[in-house]
Each structure stands twice: as C-alpha cells, then as structure tokens.
Amino acid sequence: MAEIENRPSNFIRQIIDKDLQSGLHSSVSTRFPPEPNGYLHIGHAKSICLNFGIAQDYQGTCNLRFDDTNPEKEDMDFVNSIKEDVSWLGFTWQGEARYSSNYFDQLYMFARELIEKGLAYVDFSSQETVRALRGTLKEPGQNSPYRDTSIEENLAHFEKMRAGDYKEGECSLRAKIDMSSSFMCMRDPVIYRVKFAHHHQTGDKWCIYPMYDFTHCISDAIEGITHSLCTLEFQDNRRLYDWVIENISIDCTPRQYEFSRLNLEYTVLSKRKLIQLVDDKHVDGWDDPRMPTIAGIRRRGYTPSSVREFCLRIGVTKMDNLVEMSMLEACIREEMNVSAPRRMAVLEPLRVVIENYPEDQVEWLDAINHPMDDTMGTRKVPFTKELFIEREDFKESANKKFKRLVLEKEVRLRNAYFLKANRCDKDDKGEITTVYCTYDADTLGKDPEDGRKAKGVIHWVSASEGKPAEIRLYDRLFTVPNPAGEDEFTATINPESLIIKQGIVEPSLADAPIASAFQFERTGYFCVDKDSTPENLVFNRTVGLRDTWAKQNQG
RNA sequence: UGGGGUAUAGCCAAGUUGGUAAGGCAGCGGGUUUUGAUCCCGCCAUUCGUAGGUUCGAGUCCUGCUACCCCAGCCA
C-alpha cells in the first residue's frame, strides 16, 4: 500500500480515481496496443509502464493487444520481440496476448450494422477523388457521389468487397458522418479497405481489412477496456472513437485519454527514423547499444527496474517534452551504485614497471567487492612487477589539481600500495611508453607511518595476469539535442558515438557471464556484451561515473 | 476567428474547492572518502507564456494577446 502511495499521481490516475469513486467503474482495465511493425523503444516503455502500472496499482488488468490491421507492414518476428520486451520490462499481460485480428468477424458485422443504419457506404471514388472531396483544414469537404447509395446496394457491395470481387483501391467502406466537420477524421473516414495481403494471424481469410479508427475502439469495447490510453496525436481521433462506439450495438463504453509521447535528447524515437538508422547501417542493428530501442538499452546494460524508474520520474502529462539524457542515466547509476560489484579495468593501458618489486612475484591482494555492502565479499587481485595504469593517470608534471601520478610524486594504487614515479621512457613521437616507479611495501592496507599523503588513488591491472578485453564506449548518437527537428536528421549523427578501446581487465572478470554488470572503478558501469567469448572479452560501458572534475576542467 | 491541444526553474514535474510556488534530474558551494564515485550538509522560481481585469488575496477565476505541437493515409 505504501508503495502505491509513493507512486506519483498524474491526470489519468486522477480520472480513474474519480471514476472509481463515482461508481462509473468498479475496476480498471487497460491495454498496451502496439502494431507489430517494428521494435519497441523507450517511448513505448513509457506507455507500457503507464498501462501496466495502473493495472497493478488498482488491482485491475492490462491486456497486450497487437493492433494488426495492416498486414503488409507486420510480421511475427515483431510480435515475438514485442512480447519479449514487455516481459523483460517485468510486466505480465492478462491472459493470452490479444490481436485486433481476433475480432475481424465481429468488426465485419459491426460494419454491416453501420451500413444497415445508413451510417456507412461503399465508395467507388478513386483515392485522388476522395482526397479532393475531403476539403482542406479551412474549407469543408463535399459529399461523395456514392454517399446516397441505398442500404441494400451497400450491403451487397460490402459483401462483394469481402468476397474479393473488387480490386485493391477500387472501393472502400466509409462511415457517413459529416463532410464539413472541423475534425478532418470525421469527414466520412474510410473504415475498411481492400487488401489482398497475407496476414500473420488470419492467413488468407480476409481481403478486406478494417482501419485503425474503426478497429481500436471496438477492440477496446470487446475487451472491456475502461481507460484507453494513447498519445496526443490521437486527440482528434477521439471524436471518431466515440462516434463508432455510440453507433454500434455494444454495451461497453471505453474512454480514450491522451498523454504526450516521450522525446529524449540526442536520439530519435520515431519508428521511421529508427528503421532508417538500421537500414542505412548507421548502427549495427535494432539492439545496437546506442539505439533507444528496448533491445538496445538492454544490451547497453540498462535494467528493467532502471527503465521503470525512469518512466516514473518523467511523469505523465499532456505537455510536449524533450527529456534530458541525464534523467535516464541517473536511474541506472543509482541502481548500479548499490548493485554492481567493483572491479579494476584499464581502458587505455600505460606500462608501469616497479623497479623495487621482485621479478617473478605475484601477490594476490584482497579487494573489497563493494564499499557499502560487506555481504558482497572480497576477491583476490594479482599484483606484479609490471602493471598497466590508465594513460591519462600519468603526467611528467602537473599542477596541484591533478590528483594522479606525477614524476617524483606518490599515489595510492587502489587496493594496493603507494607508488612513486621516478622516470619514464618515450618513443620517437614523444609518446610515453613506460613509467618506472618504486613502491612502498609498508603501505598495504594502511597509510605510511611518517604521515606522507598520496596525491590520489588510481586503478591498475597486472600486466602479466590481466586479461585483454575489447571495451566499447558509447556517446550520444546525435550531436544535436533534437535531431528529429533537423531537415536531415542523419546529417547530425555523432561520428564518435562508438569508441572501441583495447583494454586490460583484472583476471576475475575472465569468466563473467554475458550481461553481468560491474563498476569498473573510476571509469563507469559496464556489462558483458553478447559478443563476448572467453578468448575475446567484450564490455559495454552502460554509463560513466559522474565526473565533476572532468566537467570543471572542460572550461 | 478552420479545429484539437499545451504553456510553472536549464530539463521533467506537483500544485484539484482562490490563502502566499512540492519533488526529481542537472548545476553550484562545503564535509567525509584507498573510486575526482558514493554518502552527508547547504544553495538553486518574490514568481507561474504575456497584457489587463475581478478579489483583502490569483499559478489557480474572467478577458485579450503570443508561442509551440497535432489534424487534409484506403498508416497507426
């Protein structure tokens, strides 16, 4: 109960509260209704969390319904991936997954009912004519010459449509509403069209398919949906939704409410653009970790609970929005901070030789797996004469603000000893190749007795015992906050959205299972990519650690 | 004067009968720290798109204006 009280309310929950209090409804039923013509993305997650979250909190139900009225664009691969993604997010739909196509027979009969009431007619006008007669935003439309065909003839035509006697585009069934309506969707909308297409659910049974506006409301009513939640662009369509429900014989009155869709900075969330990114090979596929798809963010290392938390935090309103990426990142950092075991990994290795350390000695030092959680225990980390440190953690000279290794100065090697840099080698290009150091054997697990202080703490990995690993670092996919607003959004793709490092990781990481997650101390949260093998370890950086120092030094 | 919507901090967002602007993210100070992380402490809207009006009192009510989003698929 307390959990429910902690849920942020929103205008939809307030409507539900009222409907429950007034007795309009005694229980709540929602549905998540994707068209199986693409992969789900973080925007869908918002809708999923809304619909399933309401069902959970009000002890109601939420159906998964595939809005599959356009077979040419849909297929089973998409329905399967959608089921997988909804499940991954942690939600369970009521009963079996539904399909709008389950209702094709009923839909057909309701269409007949409309014809019988004189509220629908078969129009043989060409699509061009239909468009021309529809009028414009500011001018009313004109009636179709087929608008006054008799009910009997319309019934016969519709039957012939179903029988396959008419070609695609030859005619359509239109609701007879109002050609002068200020709502364009009410100007005698097409509700059935001819399509000789194979359907993934109904096969070749049908050659006419109902349109969204006719199908959705009826499907909701059939399923007993009380609150039908969709995005803002359907606000006008609500008039048609209500018109259909009012004019057919069905004893359920679902209500549609619209909320604003999610927009996320530095990415795109439209199906068309996502398809383009994949088809034009700007990314490696639907599950590329840079993609805002559920599959992509999952592979990137986001957890279901972090995505749910994000959806909770962004709220539900009717306001157009462009949410900052930092909102999403904060959710996964917060979770990983408490759950991810710490490890050491060097992304860009620089060789360190400890001159006063025995040649072939390997010391297995204890390292704590989590600074705030003793139950996560410890592990052994090998310490040897040659180590790798992060290239950016060493400078020949630096100012006081540089809390890392500097010639003649001392730092603490994380989980190990104090280390002092004596000199370094460079190649012909002036690039530092090796740093020669000495360590203080009396500083393991304690500070030096003479009170010396380390300039900082840096991570490291044994050169001989560490494992090479491919480390994939990701940056925003686009260089502008709102690529969708550009003339050609692909022109703003960030060429450095993926940077691959050949790093070295501590040996305990060698057998980490795919998808397992860690904090690589000082560099971020990482997970094992599906490409990873024992011979070729691959890690994805989910998100970096918060780095106030780097920010301040950017100017 | 087509219609439908939306305007509260850099971003997201509470604010429901008018009573004196929640919270989160980001940011900024300071403390702790063997992660420049975490954690802790403090700061961050005299003002709610704008101009008027009503009122003792307006983010909430009224009027005008402005900006932005959506609608002319046999897509959803």
Side-chain angles (χ1 to χ4, degrees), chain A residues 506-520:
Chain A
E506 61 169 86
S508 70
L509 252 4
D511 54 3
I514 284 170
S516 55
F518 303 91
Q519 183 195 95
F520 289 174

Side-chain angles (χ1 to χ4, degrees), chain A residues 276-306:
Chain A
Q276 195 179 337
L277 289 176
V278 174
D279 286 353
D280 296 353
K281 307 259 193 271
H282 292 115
V283 294
D284 274 337
W286 290 97
D287 68 345
D288 186 302
R290 293 167 292 183
M291 288 284 273
T293 49
I294 301 294
I297 61 183
R298 175 199 300 145
R299 186 171 170 191
R300 176 78 169 257
Y302 278 85
T303 58
S305 51
S306 67

